[in-house]
Amino acid sequence: GGVLGTIGGGGLGFRATFTVADAGGSGYIDSITVTDPGYGYIAIPDVVIIDGGDNCSFVAGQALTAVLSTQVVNVERGAVGTTATNHSLDRNVSTATWPLRSTVGLPGAQYHFRVASYNDAGVSDYLYFTHAITQMNPNQLPTVGGQTIEVVLEGGGAKVGNTSVYIGHTHLNGSIDFDRSKLCGSLVVSDIAGTRLTCVSPPWVGRQHDIMVRYASGDFEKLSVASNQVSFPKPTIKVVDPAQVNAGLDATITITGTNFGTNQSDVVAELVGGTGRYPCSPLVLVSDSSIICTLPWKSGVVHVGTFVVGVGTDWSGGQQNTTETTVASIKEFDPPAEVELTVAKNIDEIAVGTPARVEFENTFKGDVAAATGIPEFRINITSIRPGSVVVVFVILPDPNSATTVTPAAAAAIVAEQAADPTSALLTGAVTSATTGVSVPAAVLEAAAAAASSVVTATVTVPEYFKQSEPREYTLPNMEQCMYTCRLLCETGNEVPAVNGFPALPLERPRVCKSQCMTHCGFGRPFTPGAL
C-alpha cells in the first residue's frame, strides 16, 4: 500500500494509507484509511499520493479527484465575528445571511451555528444552535380540536412544505410512530427564520403526548421531540338521565358531561355499585359531551351505583377517568307511597270540574311540596272524597335524582308534621285545616328501615363526633380522636351526610376522613399564643 497527503488548504498533518487490488496495469486503490485528519484547514485541499508503495506504478504527487454522487454532502467551515473597535461602538456582529430554499424539496446550503464571546481573557463556552423545540403554548388542548398552538424552535425551515408538526408518540428508535400520532393542521411559518410555527390541533384525548416537528428537504431530514408536553383535559360527568330506572329491565342512560372526545374507541364507561362493576354494552358516543349507555339486565344485578367514564387508551396517551360524584349516580325506582289526608272543608265547595276544584288541588300540592321538600310533580292526587274532604294522593319517585327524598320518607314526613301544630304542613294555605292523616304501615316501615342507617341531619351532632371529642388540641389527642372518629363513621350505622344527602358507599371513607379531620381540630385556624 501507499501513503496519501495534502497540498494546499492552509492546514498541516493530514495522512492516510491506501491498499491496491490487482497489482499491475489494471490495479486500483480498493481502500483508504485516514490515520491523521490534520489541523488548521480553512479550504478544501488537494489529496495527493506521497508514496505509491512497493511495486506500485502510482507516481508520487498524483492528485486524487473525488467523484461526488447526489448522496454526498460538501461541508465547509467558516467564522464571523466582531472587533474590539466595533464592539466599543456598539456595532452589530458580522451578519450571515440565512439561505432560503429556492425549490421546495431540494436541498440547499445549510448553516449550523455555534456562538461564543471573547476578549483578552479568552473565549467563552460555545452556545450551539440546532433544530430543537424550545416552547409550545398552550400545553393543554381541547378534546374537540381546533385550538391554535404556537411552537417556538431553533433551526426551523422557512418553507411550509418542508415542515410538519405532529402530536403523538415516537418509536423506541426515536422516529415518529405515525399510527399513534396526529398531524397538527393549517401550519403557518410566522417568521422568515422558521423559529415560530402555528398550527391547529386535531381532535384527540389522552393524558400525555409528545409534540414533534419534522423538517424534510431533499436528503436532509430533522426531527425534534419535546416529550410529554401535550395533554388533554380529563372527562367530567354533569348529568345522568334518568337517575332512577326500572328494576328487572335493561336501562338506557344518557350521560352528559365534557371532554369525551370524538373517537368511539377511546371511550369506555361502567356503573360501579355495591354488587360489582357493570360496563355499558353497548356504549354510543354521541358527541364530545354526550354518551348513551345501555346496562343489560342480569339476574342478581341491581342497577345502583355511580357511573365512571374513562377516556383515552395506551394508544392515545393514557386513560383518564371521571371522578365519582353524586351527580353521576343512579338507582332503581323507589316504590310510590300513598297517603290520605283529611281536611276540614265542605266538598260541595270544590265540585269536580270547577275552577275552585283546580285551585284547591294546585294549592294542596304546593302545601305538601313545601312541607316535604319535594317538587310538585311528584305529588299525584288520585281521588277526593267526602268526610270532611279526604284527599288521597301518591308520592312518586324522582327520575331525575338518585339522592332525593324517597316516597316513603316523604310520606313519613307528612305523618310526622300532621301531629305538629307548628309544622309547615299545618301552616299551609289548605293543609292548615288538616284533621287526620293515614299512611299504610308498610310505607312507614320502609321509611324507618331506610332511616335505620340514620342520615345525619345538619342540626344533629353525630354519635361518632360525640364519642371522639379531643381532650385538648395536642397532636396525640387529635390523632386518637381522628382514629376513633373515622372508625365509628366508616363502620357504624350512622351514614355521614353531604349537603343533606347520605354519602354513597364509595364516597363514605373520603367524607368521614374530611369531617373527622375538621372535628378533631386538624383544620382549625391557628392563633398565635393559643397553644
Side-chain angles (χ1 to χ4, degrees):
V3 178
L4 299 178
T6 59
I7 297 176
L12 299 170
F14 174 85
R15 285 293 183 271
T17 61
F18 64 88
T19 59
V20 177
D22 297 336
S26 60
Y28 60 93
I29 297 175
D30 66 345
S31 70
I32 297 176
T33 302
V34 176
T35 58
D36 188 340
Y39 61 92
Y41 291 95
I42 60 174
I44 299 176
D46 293 328
V47 179
V48 298
I49 297 174
I50 302 298
D51 181 2
D54 297 337
N55 302 317
C56 180
S57 60
F58 289 123
V59 178
Q62 279 187 303
L64 303 183
T65 301
V67 179
L68 302 181
S69 72
T70 57
Q71 305 302 316
V72 174
V73 178
N74 187 23
V75 179
E76 297 183 20
R77 176 177 293 180
V80 294
T82 185
T83 64
T85 301
N86 289 334
H87 183 72
S88 65
L89 296 175
D90 291 329
R91 291 179 178 172
N92 291 334
V93 174
S94 301
T95 301
T97 303
W98 188 269
L100 300 180
R101 302 288 180 268
S102 59
T103 304
V104 174
L106 294 179
Q110 287 194 326
Y111 288 163
H112 301 271
F113 292 101
R114 65 177 185 175
V115 177
S117 61
Y118 62 92
N119 56 22
D120 291 343
V123 180
S124 70
D125 292 336
Y126 279 104
L127 176 63
Y128 289 84
F129 291 86
T130 183
H131 190 271
I133 299 171
T134 60
Q135 184 182 349
M136 72 161 291
N137 185 56
N139 296 92
Q140 188 173 80
L141 305 177
T143 53
V144 293
Q147 172 70 52
T148 298
I149 64 176
E150 181 182 58
V151 181
V152 181
L153 71 160
E154 298 173 354
K159 294 287 187 179
V160 171
N162 294 347
T163 302
S164 304
V165 178
Y166 291 88
I167 296 170
H169 305 272
T170 60
H171 290 294
L172 292 177
N173 64 5
S175 61
I176 298 176
D177 185 346
F178 290 103
D179 290 334
R180 299 179 60 213
S181 302
K182 291 190 177 184
L183 183 67
C184 192
S186 303
L187 182 70
V188 175
V189 179
S190 301
D191 60 18
I192 62 171
T195 62
R196 291 183 179 272
L197 312 175
T198 62
C199 61
V200 178
S201 67
W204 216 4
V205 295
R207 183 181 294 107
Q208 286 186 326
H209 298 270
D210 303 337
I211 183 77
M212 297 167 285
V213 177
R214 178 176 179 262
Y215 174 82
S217 178
D219 294 331
F220 297 115
E221 180 174 332
K222 298 175 182 177
L223 176 65
S224 293
V225 180
S227 300
N228 300 326
Q229 292 298 302
V230 181
S231 66
F232 293 87
K234 64 182 296 185
T236 64
I237 295 177
K238 301 297 185 183
V239 178
V240 294
D241 182 34
Q244 296 194 39
V245 298
N246 293 308
L249 298 174
D250 292 354
T252 300
I253 312 294
T254 298
I255 303 173
T256 303
T258 61
N259 306 320
F260 297 153
T262 60
N263 186 6
Q264 174 87 38
S265 62
D266 282 329
V267 187
V268 294
E270 63 181 0
L271 180 68
V272 181
T275 56
R277 309 176 77 96
Y278 304 104
C280 300
S281 180
L283 180 147
V284 178
L285 177 64
V286 179
S287 68
D288 181 67
S289 60
S290 180
I291 293 170
I292 297 177
C293 167
T294 298
L295 296 171
W297 178 82
K298 295 180 181 178
S299 178
V301 172
V302 180
H303 289 153
V304 176
T306 303
F307 278 106
V308 175
V309 176
V311 177
T313 63
D314 290 341
W315 176 85
S316 59
Q319 182 171 309
Q320 300 184 97
N321 296 333
T322 57
T323 302
E324 296 182 30
T325 60
T326 54
V327 297
S329 301
I330 67 166
K331 68 177 183 178
E332 295 180 347
F333 275 115
D334 296 303
E338 186 177 85
V339 181
E340 292 186 5
L341 205 63
T342 301
V343 179
K345 189 171 183 63
N346 186 347
I347 196 170
D348 294 334
E349 296 176 357
I350 52 171
V352 176
T354 64
R357 177 67 166 253
V358 174
E359 182 182 357
F360 174 84
E361 291 187 358
N362 290 338
T363 305
F364 179 89
K365 289 181 180 180
D367 288 351
V368 175
T372 57
I374 63 175
E376 291 186 26
F377 75 82
R378 294 183 57 189
I379 302 168
N380 180 31
I381 298 175
T382 57
S383 68
I384 298 178
R385 64 176 188 264
S388 303
V389 170
V390 179
V391 182
V392 181
F393 61 97
V394 175
I395 300 176
L396 304 172
D398 187 351
N400 302 315
S401 174
T403 58
T404 189
V405 177
T406 66
I413 292 173
V414 172
E416 180 182 359
Q417 291 195 16
D420 180 2
T422 63
S423 68
L425 183 72
L426 295 188
T427 55
V430 169
T431 56
S432 60
T434 297
T435 60
V437 63
S438 175
V439 179
V443 173
L444 294 177
E445 289 172 2
S452 64
S453 319
V454 179
V455 176
T456 304
T458 55
V459 295
T460 303
V461 178
E463 194 66 26
Y464 52 82
F465 281 178
K466 294 179 181 178
Q467 298 185 29
S468 59
E469 291 289 347
R471 290 192 297 271
E472 56 184 4
Y473 287 126
T474 60
L475 186 58
N477 281 300
M478 292 164 64
E479 288 181 339
Q480 181 61 44
C481 169
M482 185 72 176
Y483 173 80
T484 304
C485 180
R486 289 191 65 182
L487 179 65
L488 296 175
C489 179
E490 294 180 26
T491 62
N493 288 331
E494 288 183 289
V495 178
V498 179
N499 297 325
F501 296 110
L504 295 174
L506 290 174
E507 295 182 310
R508 185 168 176 173
R510 178 183 61 79
V511 172
C512 287
K513 178 181 179 181
S514 176
Q515 291 186 0
C516 289
M517 285 189 71
T518 302
H519 169 70
C520 294
F522 285 96
R524 76 188 196 286
F526 172 71
T527 303
L531 296 179

